[in-house]
Amino acid sequence: EGQSMKELLRFAVCWWHTFRGTGGDPFGPGTAERPWEDGTDSLDMAKKRVEVGFEFIEKLGAPYYCWHDRDVAPEGANLKETNANFDAIAKLLKEHQDKTGIKCLWGTANLFSNPRFMHGAATSCNADVFAYAAAQVKKAIEVTHELGGENYVFWGGREGYQNLYNTDMGRELDQLAKFMHLAHEHAKSIGFDGQFLFEPKPKEPTKHQYDFDAAACLNFIGRNGLDGIVKLNIETNHATLAGHEMMHELEYARLHDALGSIDANTGDLLLGWDTDQFPTDIYLTTQIMLVILKQGGLGSGGTNFDAKVRRESFEPVDLFHAHIGGMDAFARGTKIAAAIRKDGVLKDFVKDRYNSYDTGIGAKIESGEVGFKELEQYMLDKGEADKNKSGRQEMLENVVNWYL
Ligand code: GLO
Ligand code: NI
Ligand code: NI
Ligand code: NI
């Protein structure tokens, strides 16, 4: 549809799973063989990972990468040291970007791992923690800007609560809104015009996440004057944890002009948590691409593989196979989605399904010229609603034709 697949998909490799993933889970330590790792979180190790990481992304041929501050650079003894570590790594990342042409799709701050965030970050009951989170996000936005990042993500890992008896929800929501406005002000002041993105996710880690799903985020955005300032980064496994299909979340975001980017992965039907598996299901990628093509692409967003190899996949080469499989599934899904759009059957069917709004009482509802009184009179005169307007038979025939 006028865009090359590369321009459209804008694949990104995520730093955290790909280069920091160990295969550890709550029941046991890491299993992954990562020959370059020395088992420390030192600055030297972080530098080594930049070499390995860029070699990997370049060999894979992915145009973008994404990071959290703490997966690229280690935390120091205090904020000053932490920022100095980050600066040293940012310089190295920039050199590698310039050398390879690989670009930063987005940066973000990890406001969920350190114990200081146990009661939240922006929504913490402790003002010192709010200040720390602000300082951390300030720095992460600045580094994203230095690296030419095209977006900046906020996944509110600890922005939620467990129990309302000890939580002032109204106050926490206001704090989060204040935090977002301060972040926006700072971004403007340094000339960073990358898109801010919320990443909705329910249940993990807090019971009641304020950013539960696209609808919850959009309500928060609209209510707090953040329209357009914050769009959404939609992740498949988060959609399914919220009880939605990925396609629903994407379309809901798109209709609100808020579909910014995607975290491409998939969940597991039988496992109830965010398993972050690589997407290989062509039906899933077709659905995703139907919405993305309808929007005409993701703009500054992209397709970030927020995905990890299984605990049993311990050899480094598995990281290549996994990404290639994901890219292939998206390429095939794109072709199928483009073909579905080109033959127009689905579009015509949907149009046909609502055609009772083209004339008669439907047209009057559309134009707003009737109220409840007139609608009641219409039904009183008519007696019974005509239910057979769905074009269901033609739809079934067309679906059968596609599968044949
Ligand atoms: C966790 C999220 C996470 C985000 C990233 C941005 O479930 O998917 O990986 O994508 O942390 O903060
Ligand atoms: Ni994610
Ligand atoms: Ni996730
Ligand atoms: Ni994730």
Side-chain angles (χ1 to χ4, degrees):
E1 300 184 14
Q3 274 187 82
S4 76
M5 232 191 258
K6 202 167 175 178
E7 276 166 14
L8 179 70
L9 292 169
R10 296 155 64 87
F11 289 124
V13 170
C14 84
W15 207 266
W16 51 101
H17 290 311
T18 314
F19 308 121
R20 304 305 309 269
T22 63
D25 72 11
F27 303 95
T31 52
E33 251 172 47
R34 300 287 178 258
W36 59 87
E37 289 289 332
D38 67 7
T40 70
D41 194 20
S42 66
L43 190 57
D44 281 345
M45 193 57 241
K47 289 179 177 166
K48 183 83 192 289
R49 271 186 219 109
V50 175
E51 305 295 330
V52 174
F54 272 81
E55 188 186 333
F56 174 82
I57 302 169
E58 206 179 8
K59 282 189 175 150
L60 185 67
Y64 289 95
Y65 74 114
C66 302
W67 46 262
H68 296 84
D69 47 4
R70 292 298 79 85
D71 21 90
V72 287
E75 188 139 13
N78 51 45
L79 184 63
K80 206 170 163 189
E81 244 180 72
T82 302
N83 283 351
N85 286 345
F86 199 9
D87 282 332
I89 295 296
K91 192 167 161 268
L92 207 58
L93 289 170
K94 182 79 175 60
E95 284 167 18
H96 282 74
Q97 286 186 199
D98 291 345
K99 205 163 61 197
T100 58
I102 294 163
K103 292 181 280 189
C104 172
L105 184 66
W106 50 260
T108 188
N110 179 328
L111 305 179
F112 43 91
S113 295
N114 192 292
R116 74 171 69 85
F117 299 118
M118 69 174 122
H119 303 296
T123 64
S124 174
C125 48
N126 180 345
D128 259 20
V129 176
F130 183 100
Y132 197 97
Q136 208 182 314
V137 167
K138 173 182 178 289
K139 185 70 185 167
I141 292 174
E142 287 165 6
V143 170
T144 304
H145 186 41
E146 279 161 37
L147 296 179
E150 300 182 30
N151 309 269
Y152 184 87
V153 165
F154 294 83
W155 169 56
R158 303 273 168 196
E159 313 294 22
Y161 70 96
Q162 310 289 3
N163 194 314
L164 205 48
Y165 289 130
N166 69 359
T167 302
D168 186 338
M169 192 201 284
R171 193 163 188 165
E172 295 201 352
L173 289 170
D174 288 348
Q175 276 174 218
L176 186 56
K178 176 165 286 167
F179 192 91
M180 294 308 296
H181 281 287
L182 293 175
H184 176 55
E185 285 309 310
H186 186 66
K188 270 199 313 203
S189 78
I190 63 167
F192 175 66
D193 57 9
Q195 179 65 52
F196 277 6
L197 301 167
F198 272 151
E199 183 174 318
K201 179 181 182 183
K203 297 177 193 168
E204 289 180 7
T206 81
K207 194 190 324 189
H208 297 287
Q209 287 287 137
Y210 295 131
D211 50 3
F212 190 95
D213 62 359
C217 287
L218 285 163
N219 181 62
F220 180 88
I221 287 169
R223 188 166 181 263
N224 291 293
L226 293 164
D227 273 310
I229 294 172
V230 185
K231 293 189 173 183
L232 302 180
N233 180 38
I234 305 286
E235 174 166 325
T236 314
N237 207 166
H238 298 182
T240 52
L241 279 177
H244 299 303
E245 286 184 317
M246 177 64 164
M247 201 182 190
H248 165 86
E249 288 289 86
L250 293 169
E251 181 71 353
Y252 202 88
R254 186 190 72 82
L255 285 168
H256 291 78
D257 291 322
L259 174 53
S261 199
I262 66 169
D263 266 10
N265 61 19
T266 195
D268 186 301
L269 274 181
L270 301 179
L271 295 174
W273 65 91
D274 192 12
T275 53
D276 287 332
Q277 293 168 222
F278 276 87
T280 51
D281 178 346
I282 293 166
Y283 290 92
L284 170 69
T285 55
T286 300
Q287 292 185 351
I288 293 173
M289 294 316 297
L290 276 171
V291 182
I292 291 178
L293 285 172
K294 204 191 280 183
Q295 176 168 276
L298 288 169
S300 67
T303 307
N304 172 45
F305 287 112
D306 186 358
K308 58 188 174 207
V309 292
R310 299 301 85 198
R311 185 170 160 79
E312 301 82 3
S313 311
F314 46 81
E315 289 175 32
V317 71
D318 292 326
L319 293 172
F320 281 101
H321 294 155
H323 281 87
I324 292 165
M327 290 176 170
D328 198 41
F330 266 88
R332 285 164 190 253
T334 303
K335 284 188 179 171
I336 298 168
I340 288 174
R341 283 168 57 76
K342 194 167 170 216
D343 80 15
V345 169
L346 198 54
K347 208 169 155 211
D348 290 349
F349 165 67
V350 173
K351 190 174 176 299
D352 189 49
R353 188 156 178 259
Y354 294 93
N355 67 11
S356 66
Y357 288 91
D358 292 346
T359 56
I361 192 69
K364 287 184 183 156
I365 294 170
E366 290 282 89
S367 67
E369 67 191 271
V370 288
F372 269 17
K373 235 175 88 191
E374 292 77 20
L375 290 170
E376 184 196 43
Q377 194 53 57
Y378 167 78
M379 272 339 295
L380 285 172
D381 293 345
K382 191 167 181 199
E384 188 49 71
D386 178 3
K387 290 172 289 187
N388 190 22
K389 288 274 190 196
S390 72
R392 188 175 151 76
Q393 192 51 43
E394 293 102 282
M395 178 194 76
L396 289 179
E397 279 163 19
N398 285 325
V399 168
V400 168
N401 285 338
W402 285 335
Y403 284 93
L404 293 177

